[in-house]
Amino acid sequence: MSHTDGAESRVSRRASQERKKRNLISKIVVIGLGLLVCVAAAMFIPSDSAQFNTQEVQAAVQQLYLNEQQDYLNPDVTREMIEDTVEKVDYLGIKETEAVYQKAQEARQKFLAIEALSNVYATETAVIEGESVQADLKLKEDLTLASIQEISTRHQLTGEDELTTQINRLYTEATQVLEEVATVEELLGTLPNDLSGEVNLTELLPQLIEVETELERLEGQPSIETFQSDFEDKVTEVADVIKEQAETTEFDEALLETMFKCNTLSKNLSGSILDSRKLVSLTFDDGPNPLYTQQVLDILAKYEVKATFFLLGQEVERHPDLAKKIVEEGHMVANHSFGHPNLAEISDEEVLKEINQTQDVIFDATGVTPTMYRMPYGAGGARVVNLFPELESVIWNVDSEDWISDDAYLIYENVAANMLPHTVILMHDKHQSTVDSLELIIPDLLDQGYEFVDPLEVGMEFLYYE
């Protein structure tokens, strides 16, 4: 190859390299222009995808709520659903002023507030589920005033919708209850520790009434059971002092009236020489009976009086729902043996079985363990009483004789002719004549000013017939 040919070859290679460079630059420019176009399109042309995501988030927020107003939460909502929705709202950069953002945040706050209520109230299910709010809630035993104040402050919600109002109310009520419990404890602390000296009843009785009122209002709440027990012990001491003073002192009418305004104290004074009230206890033996007990309950409810039902174990086994109904309607249930034998004619072992078996049957049916029993036919005497020192034996001082007569008016006349200032009436809820007589007996006793009480409040002086 000549020198000239070599020179031409080098020029040709350079030219080829220059063309390749120019082609590469052209491609880069084209790609760059394409990218710019895409960016411009993304900036100025509406995105169907972005629009779809916004609608999806709006739908997700709506799913958190039970209704279109977006106030009550969907009962099926979970914490995961809420957090996922909040993340979507944040990802799209939705402004805090927009409704969808606010509703997502509100759902989270309400959910957490409702969840925290399970740490406040003693319940196995959600305190609020959908539009359903549990009633008659009791606080947890270990809850303190400081802890509820901290929880309440953390979950206090703003807004005026119904769910927000309900949540805030539950926290407020929990705080108020514990504040009132603290007040009761303080009131108990003001009662005199030593009652051995002279007691100023004019000052003490209003204190007892105030404590009792608060205890009744807070029944079932934390610590109240302990406070109630302490209060009853104190009232028993006061009653003993009053009875002792009554032997040498005549109390004026106003002071006596105040004594019996305190229910706990009046129970301790029932049947004493201080008790001038007319007291009557309606008691029914041998039930529950499917034909007549419900009729009796309806009449008692009509006149708003309470009674005591001495139940047979075998009848409770046959009709447990009826026994439970007696308790649900606010009446007392007591033990009348299992099969109604004459306890004076059977052995101690048989007596124990009759009463104990009935105790279990009544508890299984009603959830209540009786504290009283009545011997069938009133028979058994001191022997039976001594077998059950933990139970109260209850007899009667007026027999309606409804087990003899089937005439409602004769039953009424028999009761009316034998009434005493403090009376326990024996009846049986297994006769239609008994049911019908109640429409005569109860209104008459109410007109005479009798107060219907449980048998132990009547203050019978004896526990059995000899």
mmCIF file of all heavy atoms in Angstrom, residues 61-75 103 110 130-131 161-163:
data_model
loop_
_atom_site.group_PDB
_atom_site.id
_atom_site.type_symbol
_atom_site.label_atom_id
_atom_site.label_comp_id
_atom_site.label_asym_id
_atom_site.label_seq_id
_atom_site.Cartn_x
_atom_site.Cartn_y
_atom_site.Cartn_z
ATOM 1 N N VAL A 61 -62.616 5.372 52.798
ATOM 2 C CA VAL A 61 -63.025 6.142 53.978
ATOM 3 C C VAL A 61 -64.494 5.877 54.292
ATOM 4 O O VAL A 61 -64.872 5.687 55.451
ATOM 5 C CB VAL A 61 -62.773 7.654 53.757
ATOM 6 C CG1 VAL A 61 -63.407 8.473 54.883
ATOM 7 C CG2 VAL A 61 -61.279 7.939 53.681
ATOM 8 N N GLN A 62 -65.316 5.841 53.273
ATOM 9 C CA GLN A 62 -66.742 5.584 53.490
ATOM 10 C C GLN A 62 -66.973 4.215 54.118
ATOM 11 O O GLN A 62 -67.863 4.040 54.958
ATOM 12 C CB GLN A 62 -67.496 5.690 52.157
ATOM 13 C CG GLN A 62 -69.002 5.432 52.269
ATOM 14 C CD GLN A 62 -69.697 6.454 53.159
ATOM 15 O OE1 GLN A 62 -69.624 7.660 52.916
ATOM 16 N NE2 GLN A 62 -70.357 5.977 54.206
ATOM 17 N N GLN A 63 -66.143 3.236 53.741
ATOM 18 C CA GLN A 63 -66.283 1.890 54.287
ATOM 19 C C GLN A 63 -65.988 1.830 55.786
ATOM 20 O O GLN A 63 -66.388 0.892 56.465
ATOM 21 C CB GLN A 63 -65.368 0.920 53.547
ATOM 22 C CG GLN A 63 -65.852 0.584 52.136
ATOM 23 C CD GLN A 63 -64.920 -0.385 51.424
ATOM 24 O OE1 GLN A 63 -63.852 -0.715 51.960
ATOM 25 N NE2 GLN A 63 -65.306 -0.837 50.251
ATOM 26 N N LEU A 64 -65.281 2.838 56.282
ATOM 27 C CA LEU A 64 -64.979 2.876 57.711
ATOM 28 C C LEU A 64 -66.215 3.222 58.531
ATOM 29 O O LEU A 64 -66.242 2.982 59.743
ATOM 30 C CB LEU A 64 -63.870 3.892 58.003
ATOM 31 C CG LEU A 64 -62.524 3.677 57.306
ATOM 32 C CD1 LEU A 64 -61.556 4.777 57.688
ATOM 33 C CD2 LEU A 64 -61.948 2.304 57.635
ATOM 34 N N TYR A 65 -67.198 3.792 57.889
ATOM 35 C CA TYR A 65 -68.375 4.288 58.594
ATOM 36 C C TYR A 65 -69.601 3.435 58.310
ATOM 37 O O TYR A 65 -69.704 2.757 57.294
ATOM 38 C CB TYR A 65 -68.654 5.746 58.202
ATOM 39 C CG TYR A 65 -67.618 6.708 58.751
ATOM 40 C CD1 TYR A 65 -66.492 7.055 58.001
ATOM 41 C CD2 TYR A 65 -67.756 7.236 60.024
ATOM 42 C CE1 TYR A 65 -65.539 7.929 58.511
ATOM 43 C CE2 TYR A 65 -66.802 8.114 60.542
ATOM 44 C CZ TYR A 65 -65.701 8.456 59.781
ATOM 45 O OH TYR A 65 -64.764 9.312 60.293
ATOM 46 N N LEU A 66 -70.563 3.541 59.230
ATOM 47 C CA LEU A 66 -71.772 2.747 59.136
ATOM 48 C C LEU A 66 -72.785 3.355 58.180
ATOM 49 O O LEU A 66 -73.597 2.657 57.587
ATOM 50 C CB LEU A 66 -72.404 2.603 60.525
ATOM 51 C CG LEU A 66 -73.593 1.672 60.687
ATOM 52 C CD1 LEU A 66 -73.209 0.242 60.348
ATOM 53 C CD2 LEU A 66 -74.128 1.740 62.122
ATOM 54 N N ASN A 67 -72.735 4.669 58.038
ATOM 55 C CA ASN A 67 -73.741 5.355 57.232
ATOM 56 C C ASN A 67 -73.107 6.463 56.389
ATOM 57 O O ASN A 67 -71.917 6.774 56.521
ATOM 58 C CB ASN A 67 -74.833 5.949 58.137
ATOM 59 C CG ASN A 67 -74.225 6.760 59.280
ATOM 60 O OD1 ASN A 67 -73.092 7.214 59.207
ATOM 61 N ND2 ASN A 67 -74.987 6.939 60.336
ATOM 62 N N GLU A 68 -73.909 7.060 55.540
ATOM 63 C CA GLU A 68 -73.404 8.101 54.640
ATOM 64 C C GLU A 68 -73.026 9.370 55.392
ATOM 65 O O GLU A 68 -72.197 10.152 54.914
ATOM 66 C CB GLU A 68 -74.463 8.420 53.574
ATOM 67 C CG GLU A 68 -74.703 7.285 52.582
ATOM 68 C CD GLU A 68 -75.686 7.665 51.490
ATOM 69 O OE1 GLU A 68 -76.123 8.841 51.481
ATOM 70 O OE2 GLU A 68 -76.017 6.799 50.663
ATOM 71 N N GLN A 69 -73.640 9.604 56.548
ATOM 72 C CA GLN A 69 -73.295 10.797 57.333
ATOM 73 C C GLN A 69 -71.896 10.710 57.930
ATOM 74 O O GLN A 69 -71.344 11.704 58.384
ATOM 75 C CB GLN A 69 -74.318 10.993 58.470
ATOM 76 C CG GLN A 69 -75.697 11.430 58.011
ATOM 77 C CD GLN A 69 -76.493 10.310 57.381
ATOM 78 O OE1 GLN A 69 -76.244 9.131 57.669
ATOM 79 N NE2 GLN A 69 -77.441 10.639 56.520
ATOM 80 N N GLN A 70 -71.349 9.497 57.923
ATOM 81 C CA GLN A 70 -69.996 9.253 58.429
ATOM 82 C C GLN A 70 -69.834 9.743 59.877
ATOM 83 O O GLN A 70 -68.993 10.586 60.187
ATOM 84 C CB GLN A 70 -68.949 9.919 57.519
ATOM 85 C CG GLN A 70 -68.926 9.317 56.113
ATOM 86 C CD GLN A 70 -67.826 9.876 55.236
ATOM 87 O OE1 GLN A 70 -67.279 10.946 55.502
ATOM 88 N NE2 GLN A 70 -67.477 9.166 54.184
ATOM 89 N N ASP A 71 -70.691 9.191 60.765
ATOM 90 C CA ASP A 71 -70.540 9.474 62.191
ATOM 91 C C ASP A 71 -70.243 8.174 62.960
ATOM 92 O O ASP A 71 -69.156 8.012 63.488
ATOM 93 C CB ASP A 71 -71.767 10.197 62.759
ATOM 94 C CG ASP A 71 -73.083 9.583 62.284
ATOM 95 O OD1 ASP A 71 -73.061 8.463 61.761
ATOM 96 O OD2 ASP A 71 -74.130 10.235 62.446
ATOM 97 N N TYR A 72 -71.170 7.198 62.933
ATOM 98 C CA TYR A 72 -70.912 5.921 63.607
ATOM 99 C C TYR A 72 -69.984 5.050 62.757
ATOM 100 O O TYR A 72 -70.111 4.997 61.541
ATOM 101 C CB TYR A 72 -72.212 5.175 63.854
ATOM 102 C CG TYR A 72 -73.012 5.724 65.009
ATOM 103 C CD1 TYR A 72 -74.048 6.630 64.789
ATOM 104 C CD2 TYR A 72 -72.717 5.358 66.312
ATOM 105 C CE1 TYR A 72 -74.775 7.150 65.851
ATOM 106 C CE2 TYR A 72 -73.440 5.862 67.382
ATOM 107 C CZ TYR A 72 -74.464 6.762 67.139
ATOM 108 O OH TYR A 72 -75.174 7.266 68.199
ATOM 109 N N LEU A 73 -69.057 4.361 63.438
ATOM 110 C CA LEU A 73 -68.112 3.488 62.737
ATOM 111 C C LEU A 73 -68.775 2.176 62.335
ATOM 112 O O LEU A 73 -69.669 1.666 63.021
ATOM 113 C CB LEU A 73 -66.901 3.184 63.627
ATOM 114 C CG LEU A 73 -65.992 4.358 63.998
ATOM 115 C CD1 LEU A 73 -64.819 3.848 64.828
ATOM 116 C CD2 LEU A 73 -65.486 5.085 62.766
ATOM 117 N N ASN A 74 -68.300 1.637 61.217
ATOM 118 C CA ASN A 74 -68.724 0.319 60.775
ATOM 119 C C ASN A 74 -68.307 -0.698 61.842
ATOM 120 O O ASN A 74 -67.142 -0.751 62.244
ATOM 121 C CB ASN A 74 -68.053 -0.003 59.440
ATOM 122 C CG ASN A 74 -68.529 -1.308 58.839
ATOM 123 O OD1 ASN A 74 -68.966 -2.205 59.546
ATOM 124 N ND2 ASN A 74 -68.422 -1.411 57.529
ATOM 125 N N PRO A 75 -69.230 -1.528 62.348
ATOM 126 C CA PRO A 75 -68.856 -2.494 63.391
ATOM 127 C C PRO A 75 -67.806 -3.502 62.941
ATOM 128 O O PRO A 75 -67.156 -4.135 63.777
ATOM 129 C CB PRO A 75 -70.189 -3.188 63.730
ATOM 130 C CG PRO A 75 -71.084 -2.914 62.578
ATOM 131 C CD PRO A 75 -70.664 -1.601 62.018
ATOM 132 N N LYS A 103 -62.229 12.998 57.736
ATOM 133 C CA LYS A 103 -63.022 11.827 58.099
ATOM 134 C C LYS A 103 -62.148 10.603 58.365
ATOM 135 O O LYS A 103 -62.468 9.759 59.204
ATOM 136 C CB LYS A 103 -64.044 11.527 57.013
ATOM 137 C CG LYS A 103 -65.222 12.493 57.020
ATOM 138 C CD LYS A 103 -65.970 12.406 58.345
ATOM 139 C CE LYS A 103 -67.146 13.353 58.419
ATOM 140 N NZ LYS A 103 -67.838 13.248 59.726
ATOM 141 N N LYS A 110 -61.843 7.962 66.760
ATOM 142 C CA LYS A 110 -62.993 7.300 67.375
ATOM 143 C C LYS A 110 -62.694 5.834 67.672
ATOM 144 O O LYS A 110 -63.048 5.320 68.741
ATOM 145 C CB LYS A 110 -64.212 7.410 66.454
ATOM 146 C CG LYS A 110 -64.807 8.815 66.363
ATOM 147 C CD LYS A 110 -65.955 8.866 65.379
ATOM 148 C CE LYS A 110 -66.595 10.247 65.330
ATOM 149 N NZ LYS A 110 -67.687 10.335 64.345
ATOM 150 N N GLY A 130 -71.018 -0.260 66.337
ATOM 151 C CA GLY A 130 -71.958 0.376 65.422
ATOM 152 C C GLY A 130 -72.694 1.477 66.151
ATOM 153 O O GLY A 130 -72.083 2.355 66.763
ATOM 154 N N GLU A 131 -74.032 1.426 66.135
ATOM 155 C CA GLU A 131 -74.840 2.411 66.853
ATOM 156 C C GLU A 131 -75.243 1.918 68.243
ATOM 157 O O GLU A 131 -75.917 2.629 68.980
ATOM 158 C CB GLU A 131 -76.107 2.738 66.050
ATOM 159 C CG GLU A 131 -75.833 3.445 64.745
ATOM 160 C CD GLU A 131 -77.109 3.760 63.992
ATOM 161 O OE1 GLU A 131 -77.784 2.816 63.532
ATOM 162 O OE2 GLU A 131 -77.434 4.953 63.880
ATOM 163 N N ASP A 161 -71.118 15.228 66.538
ATOM 164 C CA ASP A 161 -71.948 14.129 66.064
ATOM 165 C C ASP A 161 -72.272 13.192 67.226
ATOM 166 O O ASP A 161 -71.667 13.247 68.295
ATOM 167 C CB ASP A 161 -71.236 13.365 64.931
ATOM 168 C CG ASP A 161 -69.969 12.676 65.407
ATOM 169 O OD1 ASP A 161 -70.084 11.562 65.942
ATOM 170 O OD2 ASP A 161 -68.879 13.268 65.254
ATOM 171 N N GLU A 162 -73.252 12.310 67.015
ATOM 172 C CA GLU A 162 -73.795 11.483 68.088
ATOM 173 C C GLU A 162 -72.754 10.538 68.680
ATOM 174 O O GLU A 162 -72.684 10.368 69.904
ATOM 175 C CB GLU A 162 -74.987 10.677 67.561
ATOM 176 C CG GLU A 162 -75.728 9.891 68.627
ATOM 177 C CD GLU A 162 -76.385 10.777 69.664
ATOM 178 O OE1 GLU A 162 -76.674 11.951 69.364
ATOM 179 O OE2 GLU A 162 -76.603 10.283 70.786
ATOM 180 N N LEU A 163 -71.929 9.912 67.852
ATOM 181 C CA LEU A 163 -70.937 8.981 68.375
ATOM 182 C C LEU A 163 -69.905 9.691 69.232
ATOM 183 O O LEU A 163 -69.528 9.211 70.308
ATOM 184 C CB LEU A 163 -70.239 8.232 67.230
ATOM 185 C CG LEU A 163 -69.156 7.228 67.668
ATOM 186 C CD1 LEU A 163 -69.712 6.203 68.640
ATOM 187 C CD2 LEU A 163 -68.540 6.535 66.458
#
